[in-house]
Amino acid sequence: MGDNIKIIENATCTFCGCVCDDMHLTVDLDEKKITKAKNACVLGRAWFAQHGIPDYPQATIGGKEASVEDAVEEAAQILAEAKFPIIYGLSDTTCEAQRHAVAIADLIHGCIDTTTSVCHGPSGIAFQGVGESTATLGEVKNRADFIMYWGGNPAESHPRHFTRYAVTTKGLYTPNGKKDRTVVLVDVRKTPSAPVADIFLSVKPGRDFELAWALRALVKGRKLDPSIEQVTGVSLATLEDLVDRMKNCRYGVLFFGMGLTMTRGRHFNSGAVLALTTDLNEFTHFVAKPVRGHGNVTGADNVLSWQTGYPFGVNFSRGFPRFNPGEFTTVDTLARGDADAALIIASDPASNFPRKAIEHLGAIPVIALDTKQTQTTNLARVAFITATYGINTAGTVYRMDDVPITLRKAFDSPYPTDEEILTAIRRRVQALCGGPAVPLRKVS
Amino acid sequence: MSSPLRIINGRVFDPANGVDGEVRDLCIRDGRIVDQLPAQARQLDAHGMVIMPGGVDIHCHIAGPKVNLARKMQPEDHRHDVVPSTAVTRSGTGGTVPSTFATGYRYATLGYTTAMDAAVPPLGARHTLEEFHDTPIIDKGFYIVLGNNIFLNQLLKEKRHEEFREAVAWWISATKAYAAKLVNPGGDEPWKGRRNSNVSDIDANIPEFDITPRQIINAFVHAVNDLGLPHPPHIHCNNLGHSGNFRTTIETMKAAEGRRLHMAHIQFHSYGGELGKNPKSKGPEIARYINENENITCDVGQVMFGKATVMTGDAPAAYVLRKITGNKWVNSDVECESGCGIVPFSYQEHIYTHAMQWAIGLELFLLSKDPWRIVLSTDHPNGGSFMSYPRLIKLLMDREFRKQEIARVNQKAIRNTVLLDDLEREYTLNEIAIITRAGPARALGLVNKGHLGSGADADITIYDELEDKEEMFSSPRYVLKDGELIIDDHEIRQDHEGRLLHVAPAYDEDIEQQIKPFFDKYYSIEFGNYAVGDEYLHRHQTVPTLGERQS
Amino acid sequence: MIIPGRSQKQGTSLNAGKLGEEYLEVTSTAELNQDDMKRLGLEDGDRIRLRTTTGESVVRCKGRKPEDLPAGMIFLPYGPSSSQLMASDTAGSGMPISKNFEVEVEVL
């Protein structure tokens, strides 16, 4: 350890959607690494420990080292020449960078989509159908006496969700923490999150919609046949007991995960639990919240919504934003073979998309920005290695509950930021395609 | 900055300076109005045109968390109303909740150059500022919702009024806000904590704090006036939308004890009748009270027929509408501070209540005796989009048009109003200039806005003078913002970054030491990360408090 | 029936780099019900081939108790192996079916 040590308080971990902002970081400025991340969970500790300064070229073209300027030029040329360019990713970068990405899509009349489409995109579609009663995480901490997790495994995906925001934490009207709350977990398997639950319901795989609809029926006072157990895997008595608890709690919360959105039913599943939540407000105060994954995927939804009116899957081919999941979402534009160029920001579709989509990605010119080499940067025509948000850059991220938080920089990176690269590409693309200029920041 | 400009031959309406339609020159240099310019300065001929200061919207919902939820929820609101990009402007979508770029452009194309978002939870201040960066051309600011703030209410419970005042100042400074907003004061605890109930009596005790809504209102009136904020407390009263709520409204105004208070969307608070039954009009009673009490300003919150989006910090009120319509519904609780409700809505001529609401708004406009204290608004997008302002202006200026429209709506509702009782008044252009510009600027304490005297911001709208006032106000010939010709021959010719308008009242820094322990216990973000940094300001203006102006 | 999902190790190892050995190992280890494994004559660490109409992947297997993972189910952390198995049809939603789809298991 060097002598040049800096302590950063109230730093923010952007690894998952919890976006915990109580990190106490010890930074070795000589070694350019974070040596200790107090308050971080196991995922957060790995996040901070592993983001030092890598030893990659800042930019490559065709796998060969190139200057950032040349790579920006090549990227702009690719995007300007493409007939159906797509922009994808964005969940692990700042809102400041995301805003430039939307601007580029506007200029090149392309598509813009985020990792939302393959995580809670279906919940976004459901939201457009039925709305949502929801809350910030502090309300859960202060008020919730009934908490249900459905199709999610926060113990592994969001390790501090229980302790900082929801279950064991103590709040204004929950001074005894977990003792003041009933916790229910619904899943197809007993995940490592199960021990926290007072009640565990094992739902049959692919039967989440039926389970939610059965609960809605009971909430509305309808009679159900005991054969519901064969359908859902949960007995009628258990369902009745659950509904009784839901209606009689003071402040109920339903957190739901990708166990609902990625399975048979997709947005119908999300819509069913959102509608169930709405129904329960006839009896008591009840809210729901999708447990979002990446650090700033919620920010991406917000930026796209305020700039275009739509949260993901947006296309500008006609010179104005259009929204159509299934048409303009990235798995579809790739698997159908529509896209003829791709700009991928802070995401690795080449490693986790369906095979057919990955194959098309390998067949078109790709521009990739990431903090490390990935399958996607490896297959990219133009690749930029960029500074890590929240470690080497400031900027804004939105927590899973839409609360915006400002990041604090821990140490400088020799790599440019996503915002810098995207601004440069935007300038060049604007020069090539025409359209509104990049506004200069004026301060009076 | 563009070169100096002299606007000649136009009829100028500048009520703040007593100019009522006289033809005179306007001189502009460095973004401001000046007394004179060299004779060779560039000229803009406004012959046959009407010149007014840029419009000022004192109460709208255009940015921040709940606005964005409403955008996200309603693709059907955008699809039919698209905004293509041009060589100088970004693309976007419209509807009742337009995208940010479209919001800025559309205000400008109506000749409005300043707009204030009326309800932002402090925790959403950063979000609002981010959206404002993407809201072009207009100057803008926002009011933070403080009337259900748990920490502040706990101070009131302990009768610590001085600390209360300092904490209000801290909150406004920390969030870069322009004013303090109260929404259904005292109503959050019964809503969030007591099975979706609400407070219905301004003198009912809120047991969590052992105070009443009246005490909360009164405390804010004194704190904000003592702090000398340019805009007084901006209040959305208890019982919004409920029949018989006019008593609460009058009592709320009385709670101000003669000090300055702004009443938001007062149309929604001017109902007689019995709770749960059809409303009757109490427009005349409310208008009379306001006429007689000079400490009160208000905006109307006119209902316009057609699509609207109800979005309000008054979550119980939104839930009432959700139950009536069965529409999709958003409720969003914000820890320790606030919350909101959102419901898509449509006002229809044939429905008694909607026609009654429309008629009450018109009564308030027509019975008001002091145009300086009544501001044109639709509580955008709650009563209708700001895009319907030109039609509203026509309703006020054109008696025959108004009669035709009155004949088209539910007649049972109309018979329960005084609209057919010789309300022949027609607003003059001078009065329109007051209720859309000079009045709101004065109520906001914006000394450089709403007028065309020397030193004013060169935010200027030039209309072709047309018989059809809706047509006239829908599409000004020229709009200047900060002296820049943004709209030329009805089209946007250049983009422009407007300012954030905010206040930064001084406060005793010891108050932070009292607030921090509360944050550590009950907020889910760290106190050190709560205050909004200067990097979010971009182009801005810190508007001085009244005290700072004197010294 | 297979459930690709997140695990803590998948999360920590991806920080070290998605091309790192640990990530690749974690994302190519599938959890199976112990009884199913017994029936198929498999032990922890044995290789199996997973096959769907879309594609196939070879992974190592690891047993889980029946109360934690019901019979007939396989858990596999997200990654390159699970991608090979996923069909790209999103049924107009943007979301491919990424959890709870049927796979064929071949003992290698």
Short mmCIF file of all heavy atoms in Angstrom, two decimals, chain A residues 71-97:
data_model
loop_
_atom_site.label_atom_id
_atom_site.label_comp_id
_atom_site.label_asym_id
_atom_site.label_seq_id
_atom_site.Cartn_x
_atom_site.Cartn_y
_atom_site.Cartn_z
N ALA A 71 -10.76 6.16 -33.61
CA ALA A 71 -11.86 5.24 -33.29
C ALA A 71 -13.19 5.98 -33.29
O ALA A 71 -14.20 5.45 -33.75
CB ALA A 71 -11.60 4.58 -31.94
N VAL A 72 -13.19 7.21 -32.78
CA VAL A 72 -14.43 8.01 -32.81
C VAL A 72 -14.84 8.26 -34.25
O VAL A 72 -16.01 8.13 -34.62
CB VAL A 72 -14.22 9.36 -32.06
CG1 VAL A 72 -15.34 10.34 -32.39
CG2 VAL A 72 -14.14 9.12 -30.55
N GLU A 73 -13.87 8.58 -35.10
CA GLU A 73 -14.17 8.84 -36.51
C GLU A 73 -14.75 7.59 -37.17
O GLU A 73 -15.77 7.66 -37.85
CB GLU A 73 -12.88 9.28 -37.23
CG GLU A 73 -13.06 9.61 -38.69
CD GLU A 73 -14.00 10.80 -38.93
OE1 GLU A 73 -14.04 11.69 -38.06
OE2 GLU A 73 -14.71 10.80 -39.95
N GLU A 74 -14.12 6.46 -36.92
CA GLU A 74 -14.60 5.20 -37.50
C GLU A 74 -16.02 4.89 -37.01
O GLU A 74 -16.89 4.52 -37.80
CB GLU A 74 -13.63 4.07 -37.11
CG GLU A 74 -14.01 2.69 -37.59
CD GLU A 74 -13.74 2.47 -39.08
OE1 GLU A 74 -13.14 3.36 -39.72
OE2 GLU A 74 -14.15 1.41 -39.60
N ALA A 75 -16.23 5.10 -35.71
CA ALA A 75 -17.55 4.82 -35.13
C ALA A 75 -18.61 5.72 -35.77
O ALA A 75 -19.69 5.27 -36.14
CB ALA A 75 -17.51 5.04 -33.61
N ALA A 76 -18.27 7.01 -35.90
CA ALA A 76 -19.24 7.96 -36.47
C ALA A 76 -19.55 7.61 -37.92
O ALA A 76 -20.70 7.68 -38.36
CB ALA A 76 -18.69 9.38 -36.36
N GLN A 77 -18.53 7.20 -38.65
CA GLN A 77 -18.76 6.82 -40.05
C GLN A 77 -19.68 5.61 -40.14
O GLN A 77 -20.60 5.59 -40.97
CB GLN A 77 -17.41 6.48 -40.74
CG GLN A 77 -16.45 7.65 -40.89
CD GLN A 77 -16.86 8.65 -41.97
OE1 GLN A 77 -17.77 8.37 -42.76
NE2 GLN A 77 -16.23 9.82 -42.00
N ILE A 78 -19.44 4.64 -39.30
CA ILE A 78 -20.28 3.43 -39.31
C ILE A 78 -21.74 3.81 -39.03
O ILE A 78 -22.66 3.40 -39.73
CB ILE A 78 -19.79 2.41 -38.25
CG1 ILE A 78 -18.45 1.79 -38.68
CG2 ILE A 78 -20.84 1.32 -38.00
CD1 ILE A 78 -17.76 0.98 -37.59
N LEU A 79 -21.94 4.63 -37.98
CA LEU A 79 -23.30 4.97 -37.57
C LEU A 79 -23.99 5.84 -38.63
O LEU A 79 -25.18 5.70 -38.89
CB LEU A 79 -23.29 5.69 -36.22
CG LEU A 79 -22.84 4.81 -35.04
CD1 LEU A 79 -22.65 5.67 -33.79
CD2 LEU A 79 -23.84 3.69 -34.78
N ALA A 80 -23.22 6.76 -39.21
CA ALA A 80 -23.82 7.66 -40.19
C ALA A 80 -24.20 6.93 -41.48
O ALA A 80 -25.16 7.29 -42.14
CB ALA A 80 -22.85 8.81 -40.50
N GLU A 81 -23.43 5.90 -41.81
CA GLU A 81 -23.70 5.18 -43.06
C GLU A 81 -24.77 4.11 -42.92
O GLU A 81 -25.35 3.68 -43.91
CB GLU A 81 -22.40 4.54 -43.58
CG GLU A 81 -21.50 5.54 -44.27
CD GLU A 81 -20.09 5.00 -44.46
OE1 GLU A 81 -19.93 3.76 -44.46
OE2 GLU A 81 -19.18 5.82 -44.59
N ALA A 82 -25.02 3.67 -41.70
CA ALA A 82 -25.94 2.54 -41.51
C ALA A 82 -27.37 2.95 -41.86
O ALA A 82 -27.76 4.10 -41.71
CB ALA A 82 -25.86 2.05 -40.08
N LYS A 83 -28.15 1.96 -42.34
CA LYS A 83 -29.55 2.21 -42.65
C LYS A 83 -30.44 1.95 -41.44
O LYS A 83 -31.50 2.55 -41.28
CB LYS A 83 -30.00 1.28 -43.79
CG LYS A 83 -29.23 1.48 -45.08
CD LYS A 83 -30.12 2.12 -46.12
CE LYS A 83 -29.47 2.38 -47.45
NZ LYS A 83 -28.04 2.65 -47.45
N PHE A 84 -30.05 1.00 -40.62
CA PHE A 84 -30.86 0.65 -39.45
C PHE A 84 -29.92 0.41 -38.25
O PHE A 84 -29.75 -0.73 -37.79
CB PHE A 84 -31.69 -0.61 -39.74
CG PHE A 84 -32.86 -0.79 -38.79
CD1 PHE A 84 -34.12 -0.30 -39.11
CD2 PHE A 84 -32.70 -1.45 -37.57
CE1 PHE A 84 -35.20 -0.47 -38.23
CE2 PHE A 84 -33.77 -1.62 -36.70
CZ PHE A 84 -35.02 -1.13 -37.03
N PRO A 85 -29.27 1.49 -37.80
CA PRO A 85 -28.34 1.33 -36.68
C PRO A 85 -29.10 1.19 -35.36
O PRO A 85 -30.16 1.78 -35.19
CB PRO A 85 -27.53 2.63 -36.70
CG PRO A 85 -28.44 3.63 -37.34
CD PRO A 85 -29.32 2.88 -38.29
N ILE A 86 -28.54 0.40 -34.46
CA ILE A 86 -29.16 0.25 -33.14
C ILE A 86 -28.17 0.65 -32.05
O ILE A 86 -26.96 0.49 -32.20
CB ILE A 86 -29.66 -1.19 -32.89
CG1 ILE A 86 -28.51 -2.20 -32.89
CG2 ILE A 86 -30.73 -1.57 -33.92
CD1 ILE A 86 -28.89 -3.57 -32.35
N ILE A 87 -28.72 1.19 -30.97
CA ILE A 87 -27.92 1.51 -29.79
C ILE A 87 -28.50 0.70 -28.64
O ILE A 87 -29.72 0.64 -28.48
CB ILE A 87 -27.96 3.02 -29.48
CG1 ILE A 87 -27.44 3.82 -30.69
CG2 ILE A 87 -27.17 3.34 -28.22
CD1 ILE A 87 -27.45 5.32 -30.50
N TYR A 88 -27.62 0.07 -27.88
CA TYR A 88 -28.12 -0.83 -26.84
C TYR A 88 -27.20 -0.80 -25.62
O TYR A 88 -26.01 -0.51 -25.73
CB TYR A 88 -28.20 -2.27 -27.38
CG TYR A 88 -28.59 -3.27 -26.33
CD1 TYR A 88 -29.91 -3.35 -25.90
CD2 TYR A 88 -27.64 -4.11 -25.72
CE1 TYR A 88 -30.28 -4.25 -24.90
CE2 TYR A 88 -28.01 -5.01 -24.73
CZ TYR A 88 -29.32 -5.07 -24.32
OH TYR A 88 -29.69 -5.95 -23.33
N GLY A 89 -27.77 -1.14 -24.47
CA GLY A 89 -26.99 -1.28 -23.24
C GLY A 89 -27.43 -0.24 -22.24
O GLY A 89 -28.60 -0.21 -21.85
N LEU A 90 -26.47 0.61 -21.83
CA LEU A 90 -26.74 1.85 -21.08
C LEU A 90 -27.08 1.68 -19.60
O LEU A 90 -27.19 2.67 -18.89
CB LEU A 90 -27.87 2.66 -21.75
CG LEU A 90 -27.54 3.19 -23.14
CD1 LEU A 90 -28.81 3.69 -23.82
CD2 LEU A 90 -26.51 4.31 -23.05
N SER A 91 -27.24 0.45 -19.12
CA SER A 91 -27.68 0.33 -17.73
C SER A 91 -26.53 0.49 -16.74
O SER A 91 -26.77 0.69 -15.56
CB SER A 91 -28.38 -1.00 -17.51
OG SER A 91 -27.55 -2.05 -17.93
N ASP A 92 -25.29 0.41 -17.23
CA ASP A 92 -24.16 0.61 -16.33
C ASP A 92 -23.34 1.82 -16.74
O ASP A 92 -22.12 1.75 -16.90
CB ASP A 92 -23.30 -0.66 -16.27
CG ASP A 92 -23.82 -1.63 -15.21
OD1 ASP A 92 -24.23 -1.16 -14.13
OD2 ASP A 92 -23.84 -2.84 -15.48
N THR A 93 -24.02 2.91 -16.91
CA THR A 93 -23.33 4.17 -17.14
C THR A 93 -24.20 5.30 -16.57
O THR A 93 -25.30 5.05 -16.11
CB THR A 93 -23.03 4.36 -18.65
OG1 THR A 93 -22.14 5.47 -18.81
CG2 THR A 93 -24.31 4.62 -19.45
N THR A 94 -23.67 6.51 -16.60
CA THR A 94 -24.39 7.62 -15.97
C THR A 94 -25.51 8.15 -16.85
O THR A 94 -25.51 7.96 -18.06
CB THR A 94 -23.44 8.79 -15.69
OG1 THR A 94 -22.92 9.24 -16.95
CG2 THR A 94 -22.29 8.37 -14.78
N CYS A 95 -26.42 8.86 -16.24
CA CYS A 95 -27.49 9.52 -17.00
C CYS A 95 -26.90 10.53 -17.97
O CYS A 95 -27.45 10.75 -19.06
CB CYS A 95 -28.46 10.22 -16.06
SG CYS A 95 -29.41 9.07 -15.09
N GLU A 96 -25.80 11.16 -17.56
CA GLU A 96 -25.18 12.16 -18.43
C GLU A 96 -24.75 11.50 -19.75
O GLU A 96 -24.90 12.08 -20.83
CB GLU A 96 -23.98 12.80 -17.70
CG GLU A 96 -24.37 13.76 -16.57
CD GLU A 96 -24.80 13.09 -15.26
OE1 GLU A 96 -24.82 11.84 -15.19
OE2 GLU A 96 -25.13 13.81 -14.30
N ALA A 97 -24.22 10.28 -19.65
CA ALA A 97 -23.84 9.55 -20.87
C ALA A 97 -25.08 9.08 -21.62
O ALA A 97 -25.14 9.15 -22.86
CB ALA A 97 -22.96 8.36 -20.49
#
